[in-house]
Amino acid sequence: MRVVFVSLLLIAVNVRAQSSAMADSLYATGNYTQAINTYAKLGNTASKLQIARAYNVIGNYDKAITQYEAVVAKNTEMQIAQFELGKLYLKTKRYDDGRKLFTSLVSKNKTNPEYFYYQGEAFNQLEQFSSSLVAYKKAINIDSTHLRSLFQLGKYFVVKQENIQALKYIEKGLEFYPDDVSLINLQALAYYNNNNYEMARPLFERLLELGEKKEHIYTKLGDCYTKEWEFEKAKKSYRTLLEMDPENDHAYFSLGGVYIKMKALDSAEMNYKKAIEVQDPILDMEYMALAHLARERKELKTALDYYQLAYDENPDNIFAYYSVCTVADQYYKDPKVRLEYYENFRMQFKKKHPFFSETVNKRIRELKEEIHFADN
């Protein structure tokens, strides 16, 4: 009987091993539904974990979470199941559940940078930014090459425009991954946001070399060329942008600015008008640009009309109406007409802008004196 029992046990073990191997083969070849059915017959912890993974892969996240939670409940020290469940919580936007799980994991294992990174991700999604920064920094302290944590820290400080801090983490990442496009992009933005176009330009150029032919790169590269007075390169960047998006108003507007600097006023006007044509926005900036163009040409009445259009388009644009006043002051001979514009400004904006209000009040006093002496 002992021999029979051992024989039956060996047969059962062999059958189970074959079933497990079959299930693993089905899983590995992407036949997930059949793999789930085969794993279900085994009923052990490893097979239950594989079922959770299979549901996760096919996108049935609710069943995957239920299965993971069952595994974790019975195997409280099984970190791999907790780790995968935590990532799935984040994926399904259950951020607080993810935070709790990763906080538990880092308390169990303080040497795993991935646990701290995902804890940081959970805090980040919950907008607990100071806690997320602490977690990312702990991940880097454990593994100085942890790219995703370096990226998140660099990104945070770029957004906050704390460029020295941002570059510290970005450059640390680039020491290990010199061609990482995400880090190069952050580095370029850090310099660009700090108006350091000379440093930003070669980085945007490098991104193009690495195949990152994206609209925002051509936009900012064109801006860098414009700031450095490399007008032909700037035009090429903006025209490439227009090939990608013929309705890109920023490209037309920027081309207009390049042509103004080149004193090609007709081309500037054409591009500013095209910028207006292709968009349906508040157009005050485009009208302001056309007004500036008209002033360059000494066409004061046209400038006055465009400034008025800019103000009509956006009544909160205090500079637009201030410009209406100053151009009217140049254009009209009658001091009473000029005074009316300034008094309208004072009535409309009162003390919303100290510099403009002070200048307007001063000009009103001067015009009133001029009118007084003229009447006498």
Side-chain angles (χ1 to χ4, degrees):
M1 287 184 68
R2 185 176 297 172
V3 171
V4 171
F5 175 76
V6 170
S7 298
L8 291 173
L9 183 61
L10 289 172
I11 291 168
V13 169
N14 188 45
V15 169
R16 184 176 291 275
Q18 288 179 348
S19 297
S20 180
M22 183 185 296
D24 290 341
S25 177
L26 290 168
Y27 183 93
T29 55
N31 199 339
Y32 299 112
T33 301
Q34 287 191 34
I36 289 168
N37 294 333
T38 307
Y39 282 128
K41 294 173 184 176
L42 299 173
N44 56 30
T45 299
S47 63
K48 289 175 181 176
L49 179 58
Q50 285 299 100
I51 290 171
R53 288 169 172 166
Y55 278 131
N56 190 9
V57 171
I58 63 178
N60 194 334
Y61 301 133
D62 289 339
K63 285 192 174 181
I65 288 172
T66 300
Q67 192 73 20
Y68 273 122
E69 287 175 339
V71 172
V72 168
K74 289 188 176 180
N75 303 271
T76 55
E77 297 304 312
M78 194 175 186
Q79 290 186 24
I80 183 65
Q82 294 174 57
F83 180 56
E84 292 176 10
L85 175 58
K87 289 194 290 183
L88 189 52
Y89 280 147
L90 298 185
K91 190 174 187 179
T92 55
K93 300 183 179 180
R94 290 174 58 174
Y95 302 124
D96 199 49
D97 289 330
R99 176 194 62 78
K100 291 174 184 175
L101 193 46
F102 284 111
T103 299
S104 172
L105 280 171
V106 299
S107 69
K108 294 174 183 177
N109 185 348
K110 292 181 169 56
T111 62
N112 189 330
E114 287 292 289
Y115 292 172
F116 284 105
Y117 167 74
Y118 282 106
Q119 185 193 37
E121 290 290 274
F123 280 127
N124 195 18
Q125 293 295 337
L126 291 167
E127 297 186 358
Q128 297 176 24
F129 300 120
S130 58
S131 296
S132 72
L133 295 180
V134 169
Y136 294 136
K137 288 176 182 178
K138 285 181 178 179
I140 293 167
N141 288 338
I142 298 166
D143 178 4
S144 61
T145 70
H146 200 273
L147 180 63
R148 285 169 296 164
S149 295
L150 289 167
F151 172 81
Q152 289 291 9
L153 287 165
K155 179 182 174 183
Y156 175 84
F157 288 114
V158 166
V159 170
K160 291 292 183 182
Q161 296 200 358
E162 296 180 29
N163 297 308
I164 294 174
Q165 279 283 80
L167 289 169
K168 180 178 78 171
Y169 293 108
I170 293 165
E171 288 167 1
K172 194 172 183 180
L174 287 170
E175 287 176 15
F176 303 104
Y177 309 95
D179 287 338
D180 185 273
V181 294
S182 298
L183 288 172
I184 295 171
N185 183 57
L186 280 181
Q187 189 181 35
L189 290 174
Y191 285 123
Y192 179 90
N193 292 341
N194 202 35
N195 301 322
N196 191 340
Y197 304 108
E198 185 180 357
M199 294 292 288
R201 176 184 50 76
L203 294 169
F204 287 125
E205 291 172 336
R206 178 64 179 145
L207 287 170
L208 294 181
E209 290 172 8
L210 292 170
E212 292 292 293
K213 301 185 185 300
K214 296 179 179 178
E215 290 186 22
H216 82 275
I217 294 173
Y218 284 108
T219 298
K220 289 179 171 56
L221 184 55
D223 294 345
C224 289
Y225 286 138
T226 302
K227 295 292 184 181
E228 294 192 295
W229 293 75
E230 295 190 42
F231 298 136
E232 292 305 319
K233 288 183 178 180
K235 288 192 291 182
K236 185 178 178 181
S237 289
Y238 294 133
R239 285 170 181 158
T240 303
L241 192 56
L242 287 170
E243 289 172 10
M244 299 169 74
D245 177 14
E247 304 294 302
N248 191 313
D249 59 282
H250 178 82
Y252 284 115
F253 185 78
S254 299
L255 274 171
V258 172
Y259 281 119
I260 275 195
K261 290 185 175 182
M262 296 174 69
K263 302 299 180 184
L265 302 186
D266 291 340
S267 295
E269 181 178 31
M270 181 188 73
N271 280 282
Y272 283 141
K273 287 182 175 178
K274 190 66 179 176
I276 292 172
E277 252 178 64
V278 298
Q279 62 180 315
D280 184 21
I282 296 174
L283 301 172
D284 58 324
M285 295 307 295
E286 285 73 15
Y287 286 130
M288 293 278 286
L290 286 168
H292 174 70
L293 183 62
R295 290 183 85 166
E296 287 275 315
R297 291 172 166 164
K298 312 300 183 187
E299 298 171 0
L300 293 179
K301 183 61 171 72
T302 303
L304 182 60
D305 291 340
Y306 276 129
Y307 280 130
Q308 186 64 55
L309 283 170
Y311 172 70
D312 292 341
E313 190 75 17
N314 181 10
D316 291 327
N317 189 335
I318 189 169
F319 183 66
Y321 198 72
Y322 177 75
S323 299
V324 169
C325 296
T326 57
V327 174
D329 204 348
Q330 291 177 277
Y331 179 70
Y332 291 108
K333 304 299 181 187
D334 187 344
K336 292 180 181 178
V337 174
R338 290 182 277 164
L339 177 63
E340 186 178 347
Y341 278 95
Y342 284 113
E343 287 183 330
N344 284 339
F345 179 96
R346 186 164 64 180
M347 182 174 63
Q348 182 68 30
F349 294 105
K350 296 183 173 62
K351 295 182 179 179
K352 288 185 179 179
H353 193 290
F355 171 77
F356 290 140
S357 298
E358 185 179 334
T359 307
V360 165
N361 287 333
K362 179 182 177 183
R363 188 63 183 136
I364 286 172
R365 289 194 299 271
E366 291 171 349
L367 286 167
K368 282 182 176 180
E369 287 181 11
E370 184 180 338
I371 293 165
H372 173 73
F373 286 118
D375 287 344
N376 286 341

